Amino acid sequence: MDGRQDKVAGAMKLLADGDREGATVLLRAALADAPDDPDGLHGMACVARASGRPDLAIGLAGRAIAILPAAHFHITLGCALQEQGHLEPARAALHVATLREPRDPRAHAALAAVLGESGRWGEAEASLRAALDLRPADTALLLDWGRAAVLAGGTDVVPRLAAGRFVAEDAGRLHELAGLLSERGRNAQAERLYRLVRDLCPERGAAWANHGAVLFALNRHEDALAALEQADRLAPDVAETLNNLGLVLMALGHLPRAGEVLARARRAAPDDVRIAINDATILADLGEDGEADRLLRGVLADPVAAGGMEGVRAVFNRGTLLLARGDLAEGWRSFEARTLLLPETRWPDIGPWDGSALPHGRLLLHAEQGIGDAIQFLRYLPLCLRRVRVVLVLPPSLHRLARTMPDPDGLIASPCLLLPPGASVPDDVVARCGLLSLPYLLDVAEVPPFAPYLLPSGVEGAAFRVGVCWAGNPAFRFDRRRSIAPAMLAPLGDVAGLRFVSLQHGAVAEDRPFAMETVGMGDWLETAQVIAGLDLVVTVDTAIAHLAGAMGRPVWLLNRFGGDWRWSEAFDRAEPPRWGNGTSRWYPSLEQFRQTEPEEPDDAWRAPIRMLCGALARWRRGDL
């Protein structure tokens, strides 16, 4: 190596150590001996970049390339062009670098950076994959690849990331990557990365808190509880941790403790309206409606909070409070806030209905939320059809059942079209509306008079056959509070003289509490036909309760403390219950066996189940 090369090599070492001035001195000396030396020119381009002068670097690198088109000169030129905002010329220069030296991972990584900045994340991911193949142990490259792969919407990044040898200093970037996955609804992948961050930083409360939050999003409530409790131990009184911990406790049915934790969260962040709304929710579940209402009205009194989405959420939550009190007029109005929280996106070109007559078109009336909601609010369909013609959109599993609605006056058959699955919306549809909006838009401020409106006639039950449903949809965040562990229902099987039939849908149907008959249940019409042949239905708060009630069949509802607004005491019938401790104006054939105290989950169902077993024995004997 001659003296000039020694100067350039020494300058590049000084530059790598952060000594720009020393590097400049050596490079100028080298260029004084040979002004057109490409390595010296390239070295000066690197100094210019390090000094925040990519404009000078572009010219210097260009001169070097004109003399010797080396791959690493193209890398420097491409990076300088990127820093100046010239993305397409930068991409071209870096593409040349990968062609000239395909074994240089720096070229592929630099090209990926430009492609990513251009929004071409699929190509960026491919370039980073090529760089990783050349340098598989480089964790920085691995994290860059993971980010590009997520932004490209590609495959599961976690298996490859799991092979990385990360250290605590990588936790920040892993956390950012987990956040990207969560934002895109890929929580199962995000959970594995948050767990990795937690394992890298086991003494950081925030790492446990983030892992707990994503576990809650995955409905892994017990795991979330353990993680959030550890987060609270490591970093006490962090409002966000306490907020999530309170929600998890609420979902698991630990209501008093959830109230205590959310009260702590509110003390830690008294101005956080999200926490205030969550605290109001648990207060309502604990039966403290007045305090819950006070909190929600406080949120709505703040012009800033009231004008945002948290204000919308407060209106909705207050609507459920009002409905639970039986204030239907104001309750239905506030309940409409759900359409802003969960906007309907399937028909963006069809505007919402305002409740008026439509003389020149039809209304698209669609189901929303769960099957039970659709069944309950189909009772308003005849009232709607007195005002407008309807195209009805229901889940396919409800189609055959909906066709059993009685129609003595021809009110349904002519003005209502049940849209077949996959069919296009007719051209004459001019407005849309969710089923749950009908009471508000039709100005129905009382529970409508009841007559069975789904499969109203059927085979009468015989031989004391009792259908049982013990669990709802496990995807519902608070399903653990409404569903019952099968083993807890085992005492029902000891009631003599009854034949039990499983009405349980889904995977949990195989885990029966005791020996019982199983029947084929395909769509909801087949389920209704099974119910028509029963003497009694016993169920938790699921669509089965609504279906049996809508058919006018006897149904006993096992209901949680602080349950859904529609089962509140405000909707009990005037006459006392015959068997349980509650009734329902929504379905006169329904009686409730309510939890009466906010007890711990292992204890909360014991009293209602004892009451139910006693009622079953009396019912079997014919006692009143």
Side-chain angles (χ1 to χ4, degrees):
M1 183 180 290
D2 60 27
R4 175 176 50 80
Q5 291 173 320
D6 287 342
K7 290 185 179 75
V8 172
M12 298 310 289
K13 184 177 185 307
L14 288 172
L15 184 61
D17 292 338
D19 185 357
R20 293 197 303 271
E21 292 183 5
T24 302
V25 170
L26 284 178
L27 288 168
R28 282 176 176 166
L31 288 169
D33 296 335
D36 291 328
D37 176 57
D39 289 317
L41 290 168
H42 173 254
M44 288 299 288
C46 292
V47 170
R49 280 192 64 217
S51 302
R53 292 297 306 274
D55 53 332
L56 295 180
I58 291 169
L60 290 163
R63 286 176 59 193
I65 289 169
I67 300 165
L68 179 66
H72 62 292
F73 295 177
H74 281 89
I75 294 175
T76 299
L77 174 60
C79 290
L81 287 164
Q82 179 187 10
E83 288 159 2
Q84 278 291 93
H86 306 309
L87 296 184
E88 183 52 31
R91 186 204 62 78
L94 291 165
H95 179 62
V96 171
T98 63
L99 294 175
R100 288 193 171 277
E101 185 45 79
R103 301 291 301 170
D104 189 344
R106 298 172 302 168
H108 295 288
L111 177 57
V114 172
L115 291 166
E117 191 172 342
S118 303
R120 296 161 66 172
W121 289 109
E123 296 170 75
E125 184 273 335
S127 290
L128 284 163
R129 196 167 358 105
L132 267 177
D133 289 343
L134 296 166
R135 195 183 291 167
D138 189 325
T139 54
L141 272 181
L142 182 58
L143 288 165
D144 286 341
W145 168 81
R147 181 171 184 270
V150 171
L151 292 171
T155 185
D156 185 352
V157 300
V158 173
R160 187 161 190 173
L161 287 168
R165 296 181 177 273
F166 297 109
V167 295
E169 287 72 17
D170 298 315
R173 292 200 61 196
L174 284 165
H175 174 267
E176 291 174 6
L177 186 50
L180 282 178
L181 288 165
S182 285
E183 290 169 7
R184 285 155 180 76
R186 296 162 70 173
N187 284 323
Q189 296 178 44
E191 183 274 326
R192 294 178 64 184
L193 295 190
Y194 280 127
R195 188 188 338 147
L196 180 56
V197 172
R198 184 204 72 188
D199 292 342
L200 289 170
C201 308
E203 300 305 315
R204 287 180 54 192
W208 288 90
N210 290 325
H211 189 215
V214 76
L215 287 166
F216 183 38
L218 290 168
N219 282 350
R220 291 173 54 183
H221 294 140
E222 285 86 357
D223 293 337
L225 178 62
L228 290 165
E229 286 179 330
Q230 176 67 357
D232 188 38
R233 281 190 288 269
L234 292 169
D237 298 323
V238 176
E240 189 64 25
T241 299
L242 293 170
N243 181 57
N244 288 329
L245 178 57
L247 292 174
V248 170
L249 288 164
M250 194 189 319
L252 286 168
H254 302 290
L255 300 188
R257 190 175 165 211
E260 294 167 4
V261 169
L262 283 166
R264 282 179 60 203
R266 195 151 58 88
R267 288 194 296 272
D271 297 326
D272 191 321
V273 294
R274 295 174 310 118
I275 294 174
I277 293 169
N278 288 336
D279 195 14
T281 301
I282 188 60
L283 287 168
D285 280 353
L286 287 166
E288 299 180 34
D289 292 3
E291 181 61 16
D293 195 27
R294 186 190 69 79
L295 276 179
L296 294 174
R297 284 188 282 109
V299 171
L300 296 173
D302 180 341
V304 175
M309 288 308 295
E310 291 303 328
V312 174
R313 188 173 156 226
V315 171
F316 172 76
N317 285 15
R318 189 160 186 269
T320 62
L321 272 181
L322 292 164
L323 290 173
R325 292 175 182 172
D327 184 352
L328 294 187
E330 185 61 30
W332 291 134
R333 182 179 297 108
S334 298
F335 196 61
E336 285 299 287
R338 77 190 185 284
T339 63
L340 298 175
L341 294 172
L342 297 170
E344 178 55 66
T345 59
R346 287 175 290 180
W347 305 284
D349 298 329
I350 304 174
W353 186 43
D354 62 4
S356 61
L358 300 174
H360 303 298
R362 286 190 285 181
L363 171 69
L364 186 73
L365 182 63
H366 59 87
E368 48 178 313
Q369 302 188 40
I371 294 291
D373 292 299
I375 290 173
Q376 179 182 2
F377 285 82
L378 274 173
R379 70 190 303 159
Y380 291 93
L381 177 61
L383 297 175
C384 180
L385 290 169
R386 297 182 187 279
R387 192 171 299 185
V388 292
R389 293 178 300 138
V390 163
V391 174
L392 182 61
V393 178
L394 294 175
S397 63
L398 281 175
H399 277 220
R400 293 201 303 150
L401 177 65
R403 292 192 181 97
T404 70
M405 293 187 74
D407 190 18
D409 303 321
L411 188 63
I412 296 177
S414 175
C416 181
L417 167 68
L418 181 58
L419 193 68
S424 299
V425 174
D427 292 338
D428 65 342
V429 166
V430 296
R432 60 175 170 79
C433 170
L435 274 169
L436 275 68
S437 290
L438 288 181
Y440 170 64
L441 294 173
L442 297 173
D443 194 23
V444 182
E446 296 292 337
V447 176
F450 180 83
Y453 58 91
L454 290 175
L455 197 67
S457 60
V459 178
E460 287 299 319
F464 295 98
R465 298 179 76 224
V466 179
V468 183
C469 176
W470 57 89
N473 182 352
F476 175 52
R477 174 167 283 189
F478 297 104
D479 180 65
R480 291 286 298 275
R481 288 180 54 198
R482 67 173 177 180
S483 295
I484 302 177
M488 295 199 73
L489 287 179
L492 272 66
D494 296 331
V495 179
L498 302 179
R499 294 174 56 193
F500 290 97
V501 178
S502 172
L503 296 176
Q504 188 62 54
H505 284 254
V508 294
E510 298 304 314
D511 189 15
R512 292 184 285 275
F514 48 84
M516 59 177 65
E517 181 183 347
T518 59
V519 291
M521 294 190 299
D523 67 4
W524 286 96
L525 175 60
E526 292 180 40
T527 302
Q529 290 167 337
V530 171
I531 289 173
L534 299 173
D535 294 283
L536 176 66
V537 170
V538 174
T539 180
V540 295
D541 181 10
T542 71
I544 292 290
H546 292 282
L547 177 56
M551 294 169 61
R553 303 298 298 165
V555 52
W556 292 357
L557 172 67
L558 283 158
N559 197 15
R560 67 189 185 274
F561 188 88
D564 193 272
W565 60 265
R566 72 200 77 203
W567 307 125
S568 73
E569 292 182 8
F571 293 108
D572 279 7
R573 299 192 307 275
E575 61 272 21
R578 294 176 61 194
W579 308 107
N581 58 2
T583 56
S584 173
R585 283 187 284 141
W586 294 105
Y587 306 113
S589 64
L590 182 145
E591 293 213 13
Q592 298 191 51
F593 292 75
R594 292 183 174 118
Q595 296 176 1
T596 57
E597 298 290 338
E599 297 177 293
E600 287 298 299
D602 288 343
D603 300 321
W605 287 115
R606 298 190 191 282
I609 290 172
R610 275 197 306 271
M611 183 190 305
L612 175 66
C613 289
L616 280 173
R618 296 195 309 276
W619 174 77
R620 172 63 181 85
R621 295 193 302 266
D623 298 344
L624 293 181

